[in-house]
Amino acid sequence: MKVERAKLTWFERLYIPSILNGFKVTLRHFFSWKRSKVYGDKQSSYSAKLTMQYPEEKWPVPDGYRGAPYLVKDEDANTKCVSCQLCEFVCPPKAIRITPPGQSGEADREGAEKMPKEFDINMLRCIYCGFCQEVCPEEAIYLLKDYAITGENREELIFNKEKLLSLGGEDKRAYAHHTQDGVTEGIKKWEKKTQEAKDQPAFH
Amino acid sequence: MLNFVTEIFSSYPWLIVLVKVLGVFAVIMPMVAYSVMAERRISALIQDRIGPNRVGIPFTRVKLLGLGQPLADGLKSFLKEDFTPAYVKRIFFWLAPAVAMIPSFVVFAVIPFGSFLGAQKMVIADLNVGILFTFGIVSLGVYGIVLAGYASNSKYPFLGGIRSSAQMISYEIAMGMAVVPVFMLAADSAWQSNLTGTWKGYLDGVGLLNLSSVIAYQSDSFFSWMIFKQPIAFCIFLVAIFAETNRLPFDMPESETELVAGYNTEYSSMRFALFFMGEYAAMIAGSALMVVLFCGGWTLPLGATLDPNGYFSTPADGIIQGVLHMVVFIMKIAVFLVLMIWIRWMLPRFRYDQLMNIGWKRFLPVSLANIILTAIVLWATA
Ligand code: SF4
Ligand code: SF4
């Protein structure tokens, strides 16, 4: 390929105009304290220049973001997980480790059949793929918006059941549509999936 | 007590030199550290970033605009593993960082960084061949780079070393030629005999190539600064100093974008830090040279109205005046340092054939013409 080079005048070939331009451009940027447009309407809460001063300022995490997987509770603050171990099987890097309850069932309330004795997620292994959330029949595990997983050693980053439950909290997202006039109707699992099944076109 | 101290110093004159050396070192090292810091902050601001602003006083939450950063950087390079790759030429590999760093510090030996402090002239070695010594030493720094490139036994450092030697032969001659007119003006015994007062003591027994006599020449007004009397020489010298200190737009030996890190690719830990310190010390030395040769050294000719007694433009009588002169000198150096840092974030890198082109085909003829021009003007006005 032949590159066409512009013919420079003798003045331009002295480099001086481009050097002066360089001074101009760098000075303009040096003294520009305009907030970056990338923050959208949240601009005023971020500092000037492009740098985000991280621990003090954080990105607004978008909906649907796949952060760390945590266990969620239902609206009555009960553990939703029934220790079916599907997530353990599906997890590609084998980050989840569930100890099933055995014969006793470990249930902590009336009407619940079974719940995990131990439920560990190794956050160092998790790849945030979201398979566990997808496979869970109880909608008990969700990838929430938490992305800052830090710790001082490896043990600290294996989250146990208590930690996962407390971090997950009550899952507003999972049962928001069950609540009418502030009265909870109890767990209606499968409702979403039933609806999805109904929405499918018929084939016969 | 005081008698005892003066007695010791008068019976062992080398002690004074030692104190001066340590004093200069104690000033240069923090300057090196903080010019790195300045580089990082200025580059950040130019690129619309903020730069290191976290590290303050250790173990507290005081941030001080990040002024503690050099401390953290230094500590970090001490704690890093000092890794020697296999198949390097060990002795040269170990020697190179020292060879690169020492010359940039040795240059300060002949630079007059102040007037008097007490009875002591503020220059470590008052050599009559000052400027020649400087050129001799400064060009030694290149050997460190070439040696590092050769010893690393790896392609990128090797390319860096080759470029460095190609670079050296293209700017050094122009650089040497550029300062000839400066000395044609300054090394004239006629005006030296007119000097009065403290200047007489300052220039006592000093040859005409001595750097102090250049300062004396520039001391009477701003317009006797060589930057105004010899603007062409100044431009050439400035460009040559950029090439000398391997700063952009002439950082061919390093060129991070194409040679990984150039000659110091294989170095880690403190040995890398030595190269780094050498580079910044060379920047400071280069700025100091430009200040001495072109911007009046430690003098500040404020004129008869602002400064009727020549407090800032004649060698000092007292301690405070002497210290102020040094402060003026450091301030001037700082201006040039900022300029060098600024330019780095402004211009793209030259190819090394382009640098040779500029050095041989433009600057060398121009500097020769400048010498002849100066000679003609001197002859016509004599
Ligand atoms: S998000 Fe993926 S990797 Fe992480 S625990 Fe769930 S299934 Fe495993
Ligand atoms: S989180 Fe869901 S998929 Fe995993 S064991 Fe519990 S109920 Fe089963």
Side-chain angles (χ1 to χ4, degrees), chain A residues 71 81-87 98 119 135-138 140-141:
Chain A
L71 291 175
C81 174
V82 295
S83 189
C84 71
Q85 290 175 283
L86 282 175
C87 53
I98 299 169
F119 193 115
V135 81
C136 180
E138 300 294 316
I141 189 165

Side-chain angles (χ1 to χ4, degrees), chain A residues 26 29 49-51 53 56, chain B residues 45-46 48 50 54 342:
Chain A
T26 43
H29 281 270
K49 299 259 173 194
L50 277 178
T51 310
Q53 309 258 349
E56 292 94 24
Chain B
L45 289 174
I46 286 176
D48 287 335
I50 291 178
R54 299 272 160 160
W342 185 3

Side-chain angles (χ1 to χ4, degrees), chain A residues 125-145:
Chain A
R125 301 200 72 156
C126 177
I127 56 172
Y128 309 108
C129 63
F131 284 4
C132 48
Q133 169 180 340
E134 206 139 297
V135 81
C136 180
E138 300 294 316
E139 299 182 343
I141 189 165
Y142 269 98
L143 270 69
L144 299 181
K145 290 181 177 177

Side-chain angles (χ1 to χ4, degrees), chain A residues 5 13-15 18-20 22-23 26-27 29-33 47-56, chain B residues 41-51 53-54 63 339 342-343 345-347 350-351 354 357-358 362:
Chain A
R5 295 199 188 273
R13 275 189 290 146
L14 280 178
Y15 302 115
S18 33
I19 289 176
L20 291 183
F23 277 111
T26 43
L27 265 186
H29 281 270
F30 191 94
F31 289 110
S32 95
W33 289 90
S47 68
K49 299 259 173 194
L50 277 178
T51 310
M52 174 180 286
Q53 309 258 349
Y54 168 63
E56 292 94 24
Chain B
R41 282 313 283 268
I42 292 175
S43 68
L45 289 174
I46 286 176
Q47 296 172 348
D48 287 335
R49 297 180 287 116
I50 291 178
N53 63 349
R54 299 272 160 160
K63 280 187 188 165
L339 181 75
W342 185 3
I343 300 238
W345 303 101
M346 195 170 103
L347 296 177
F350 279 61
R351 278 200 320 262
Q354 289 171 328
N357 235 341
I358 291 187
R362 309 262 173 96

